[in-house]
Amino acid sequence: MCGIVGHIGNGDARDIVIKGLEKLEYRGYDSAGIAVLNHAKNKFEIYKREGRISNLKEIVDFDYETSFAIGHTRWATHGKPCYTNSHPHMSNSTRFIVVHNGVIENYKELIEKYLGGYKFNSETDTEVIVNLIDYFSKSLSVEEAIRKTLISVEGSYALLIIDTENKDKIYIAKNKTPLLLGQGKDGVTIASDTMALVGYCESYIILEDKTFGIVKKDKISLLDYLGMPIYYKTKPLSMKTEDISKNNYPHFMLKEIDEQPGIIRRIIQNYFNIENEIIINDKIVEDIINSEKIYFVACGTSMHAAHMGKYFFENFLKKHCEVFIASELAYQDALIVNNPYFIFISQSGETADCISVMKKCIERKHKMLAITNQESSSMNNLANDNLNIYAGKEISVASTKAYIAQVVVLAILASACAKKKTSIKQDLDRFALAVEEIVNSKHNIEELAVKFEGAKSAFYIGRGLDYYASLEAALKLKEISYIHTEGYASGELKHGTIALIEEGTPVIAIITQNHTNMITRSNLTETISRGASPIIISNHNNSQTTDDIIIPDVVSYLRSPLAVVVTQLIAYYVALMNGNDVDKPKNLAKSVTVE
Ligand code: M6R
């Protein structure tokens, strides 16, 4: 959460930083700010604004020359979204300027111990960092003062620090929050995500936790907190501008929904050889087979994909599985079997709730696999093994293509572990075609949006796999349409929740499994009798003529994930009808790096 960008070099740093922040806006958009060195005046100008980068741009002076700037786009943690809490923050002395992504846990103790004489203007923990540097700099060199600050603070941070008395360098620090250094012909760009480096950098360095650095336009020094040099590797930056642009789509979400057939095919290419055999490291497969039980750990949409994974493993492999919400397991002394196998699923690979559980697993020496969309991510680093979902950059806050990709990779993994005789490749080829049919006939789904007009609440219902699909469908609808939606096991409604059904409440039944078809229909009828306005998504052999959307035929275990594609489009069109910002829904951020 929060995105930071800095540039020092020869290019127009203000432009590079603002464009970079625009690309990182998915990380948070409560407020934005930038500190720019005005070469003519030889001083830093600070601009901040509540809300989006577009607001910030209205007040930035673009007329003077600059080659040094740092900026921030905020997802509020400490303190409400407002001008005063926006970054950059400045020390009382006005000597130091800081942008920060992360959370400082011991900021109150630090104030008590060192900063009694300091005045705090904002409610942020960041102001403590910048004043602490200032405090230590009274008796130490700036470099030592920053390192002493880093040793004193507890928590997560990616930091860019300016010493206004030394305008040729940016100090940086990183712990538990991503930070990358990009190198290009125009200098060095520092950012939370590679996206902000695209167009300016040819290579980049992924910083390790507890790294302190001094960045000049032509020199990078990375040190540990004791001042010892850290040796680093650079990686070529392969991401291109077209990988992160909308390409004529009105929203990233729609583009990402449409990308799904191609992604399924890309996964197939990466996980099958020409004999249609699965290519997954034998060690992963053997570790899973030899484990007593599989624990899936994830959040949000990834957790809903985990439910599908549980079904695949239990059915293909006949192994016990459990799905945990990461934030629950992190603070629970759950009873874990002696020989467990943990599968962490995350699009970003940076989700703090998952990372917190992974650290516990490391202490207990549990084997862990991370399934992510981000090759160089914190979760991949922590796990024993990784699997890539090959979804490409997902920018819309509402996750769509990552979900389908996670489900497909989980099906392949489960099949590899079950050593299935018949390849599931054909099932997946057919699945890709079916997803394509759905996205190509999206106008049918668009017409359903009116059924949600004026709705205050809605329900997705289903049983078994269709229930798991309902959970994801409901999350998608609520997060971008702002209609309160629940995904419910259809048989459970009558035990209380049916009391919420009113005249016109949309109840969408997902019916794709033969053995639950009639009973789910019967549960739906119970809601219709209480005024619900029904919508039915079914598959061919479970359909009735009046059903609203009939999905193409695929193998039974992939029907419910296929129905999710329909519900992604429903969410999209309802959000659009409600006039919402589809890609950046309120209160949310794409990468949730705080617990
Ligand atoms: O990056 P992750 O997959 O770990 O993120 C988990 C959730 O934060 C994420 O899926 C969230 O629920 C999405 N906004 C859902 O669309």
Side-chain angles (χ1 to χ4, degrees):
M1 339 211 63
C2 302
I4 60 178
V5 188
H7 179 84
I8 185 161
N10 305 316
D12 179 341
R14 174 187 39 217
D15 196 55
I16 294 172
V17 169
I18 289 184
K19 290 205 171 108
L21 290 176
E22 282 174 328
K23 290 181 199 150
L24 299 192
E25 215 175 22
Y26 73 89
R27 300 177 69 89
Y29 30 85
D30 286 332
S31 67
I34 182 167
V36 186
L37 178 61
N38 182 334
H39 286 301
K41 292 190 183 162
N42 195 28
K43 75 179 261 261
F44 283 92
E45 315 273 6
I46 294 186
Y47 310 90
K48 319 199 228 194
R49 206 95 200 259
E50 199 179 322
R52 305 285 165 98
I53 316 286
S54 52
N55 291 354
L56 176 71
K57 276 161 76 176
E58 286 170 9
I59 57 159
V60 172
D61 179 353
F62 285 92
D63 286 338
Y64 54 86
E65 240 182 69
T66 180
S67 56
F68 184 162
I70 62 171
H72 187 270
T73 178
R74 178 167 188 251
W75 188 83
T77 52
H78 286 78
K80 58 182 179 298
C82 64
Y83 173 86
T84 333
N85 289 334
S86 309
H87 298 221
H89 289 285
M90 204 177 223
S91 60
N92 281 188
S93 64
T94 72
R95 177 171 177 181
F96 297 100
I97 302 169
V98 163
V99 292
H100 166 219
N101 169 21
V103 175
I104 303 304
E105 286 148 16
N106 61 337
Y107 73 101
K108 286 196 180 133
E109 291 104 88
L110 292 170
I111 295 175
E112 262 175 43
K113 193 162 171 193
Y114 301 109
L115 302 177
Y118 281 78
K119 183 171 169 279
F120 293 92
N121 300 310
S122 73
E123 300 160 285
T124 67
D125 46 350
T126 308
E127 247 196 304
V128 174
I129 305 177
V130 72
N131 282 317
L132 204 55
I133 296 170
D134 185 72
Y135 172 80
F136 289 136
S137 73
K138 295 189 191 325
S139 54
L140 298 168
S141 71
V142 170
E143 197 184 310
E144 284 166 341
I146 296 174
R147 282 198 277 113
K148 179 137 193 209
T149 302
L150 299 174
I151 292 167
S152 309
V153 297
E154 285 164 21
S156 57
Y157 46 83
L159 285 169
L160 304 185
I161 305 153
I162 295 174
D163 171 11
T164 57
E165 291 179 14
N166 285 290
K167 300 187 183 70
D168 63 339
K169 52 180 86 93
I170 304 178
Y171 295 97
I172 61 170
K174 186 260 184 223
N175 189 40
K176 299 187 198 163
T177 291
L179 194 63
L180 311 163
L181 278 179
Q183 293 167 299
K185 63 177 177 16
D186 281 335
V188 184
T189 308
I190 313 149
S192 313
D193 185 318
T194 38
M195 284 169 74
L197 310 180
V198 175
Y200 311 107
C201 302
E202 286 93 49
S203 61
Y204 69 106
I205 303 160
I206 302 166
L207 299 186
E208 299 290 332
D209 280 350
K210 302 219 171 204
T211 297
F212 164 62
I214 303 159
V215 179
K216 295 186 174 182
K217 68 177 183 183
D218 47 11
K219 187 168 177 228
I220 294 170
S221 315
L222 298 182
L223 310 165
D224 66 17
Y225 290 178
L226 298 174
M228 298 306 288
I230 294 177
Y231 297 97
Y232 53 84
K233 282 195 210 130
T234 51
K235 291 180 90 169
L237 183 67
S238 52
M239 195 179 275
K240 299 195 183 51
T241 310
E242 52 275 23
D243 299 334
I244 52 170
S245 51
K246 280 193 215 148
N247 294 341
N248 295 329
Y249 274 90
H251 299 100
F252 280 109
M253 183 178 178
L254 194 61
K255 174 177 173 250
E256 287 162 4
I257 291 173
D258 276 6
E259 280 170 1
Q260 294 179 113
I263 291 163
I264 301 165
R265 292 183 182 118
R266 195 190 302 157
I267 296 171
I268 295 170
Q269 267 173 12
N270 278 285
Y271 281 104
F272 288 88
N273 64 19
I274 42 168
E275 270 91 42
N276 291 348
E277 293 157 347
I278 297 172
I279 332 163
I280 288 184
N281 185 340
D282 287 345
K283 181 176 162 282
I284 299 177
V285 172
E286 291 313 311
D287 281 349
I288 294 178
I289 292 174
N290 295 331
S291 69
E292 206 178 320
K293 185 170 172 182
I294 302 168
Y295 295 90
F296 291 95
V297 186
C299 312
T301 289
S302 300
M303 191 259 299
H304 298 149
H307 279 292
M308 294 289 174
K310 170 183 152 80
Y311 177 92
F312 302 153
F313 277 86
E314 287 187 342
N315 280 270
F316 299 175
L317 189 60
K318 306 290 173 218
K319 187 173 283 287
H320 282 294
C321 300
E322 198 166 341
V323 175
F324 273 111
I325 296 173
S327 55
E328 281 299 300
L329 188 55
Y331 291 88
Q332 208 185 91
D333 223 357
L335 206 55
I336 304 291
V337 297
N338 285 333
N339 180 21
Y341 191 82
F342 279 82
I343 301 183
F344 289 83
I345 306 172
S346 169
Q347 187 284 129
S348 62
E350 298 297 341
T351 302
D353 292 322
C354 290
I355 290 174
S356 155
V357 181
M358 291 182 98
K359 290 191 174 155
K360 275 171 102 176
C361 287
I362 290 172
E363 277 168 26
R364 291 167 196 182
K365 300 193 170 43
H366 296 326
K367 289 193 178 116
M368 295 183 286
L369 169 71
I371 300 182
T372 73
N373 195 24
Q374 206 70 36
E375 228 185 313
S376 12
S377 64
S378 306
M379 288 175 64
N380 279 11
N381 283 343
L382 291 170
N384 307 86
D385 290 293
N386 316 137
L387 290 178
N388 194 332
I389 61 165
Y390 298 105
K393 196 79 202 169
E394 191 179 64
I395 294 171
S396 167
V397 167
S399 182
T400 52
K401 62 177 182 173
Y403 171 83
I404 287 296
Q406 288 162 342
V407 168
V408 170
V409 171
L410 285 165
I412 296 171
L413 179 62
S415 168
C417 295
K419 305 204 187 285
K420 273 182 150 226
K421 289 216 171 50
T422 49
S423 171
I424 68 159
K425 182 174 171 293
Q426 277 170 2
D427 298 345
L428 296 175
D429 285 337
R430 174 70 206 129
F431 184 57
L433 266 179
V435 174
E436 199 159 62
E437 277 181 52
I438 291 177
V439 298
N440 286 344
S441 55
K442 50 172 84 67
H443 51 274
N444 296 332
I445 299 167
E446 185 174 5
E447 285 165 12
L448 291 178
V450 288
K451 298 206 176 195
F452 294 80
E453 217 165 352
K456 295 270 175 306
S457 71
F459 292 87
Y460 271 99
I461 61 168
R463 284 179 183 239
L465 279 173
D466 289 337
Y467 165 53
Y468 299 146
S470 297
L471 294 176
E472 174 53 13
L475 176 60
K476 215 75 324 160
L477 183 62
K478 74 179 110 176
E479 76 174 323
I480 60 169
S481 75
Y482 313 147
I483 297 171
H484 172 246
T485 314
E486 287 191 49
Y488 232 78
S490 62
E492 185 65 10
L493 277 174
K494 58 185 176 292
H495 296 288
T497 305
I498 202 163
L500 298 174
I501 304 292
E502 288 177 355
E503 202 55 44
T505 305
V507 177
I508 311 101
I510 300 180
I511 302 172
T512 71
Q513 305 297 312
N514 306 359
H515 65 297
T516 54
N517 178 357
M518 295 325 289
I519 189 70
T520 303
R521 285 183 192 275
S522 152
N523 296 141
L524 180 66
T525 309
E526 289 154 12
T527 69
I528 298 170
S529 312
R530 278 130 189 117
S533 158
I535 296 173
I536 298 179
I537 303 169
S538 62
N539 74 310
H540 268 290
N541 50 350
N542 288 303
S543 65
Q544 294 185 2
T545 45
T546 50
D547 291 356
D548 298 84
I549 299 287
I550 299 167
I551 59 170
D553 264 333
V554 290
V555 65
S556 62
Y557 66 89
L558 290 174
R559 286 181 202 150
S560 310
L562 186 61
V564 169
V565 178
V566 175
T567 70
Q568 294 169 346
L569 285 159
I570 292 180
Y572 175 77
Y573 288 117
V574 175
L576 211 59
M577 177 183 75
N578 286 355
N580 299 347
D581 186 340
V582 173
D583 285 335
K584 294 183 192 121
K586 67 176 182 199
N587 305 342
L588 294 178
K590 181 75 182 160
S591 178
V592 187
T593 54
V594 292
E595 281 187 69

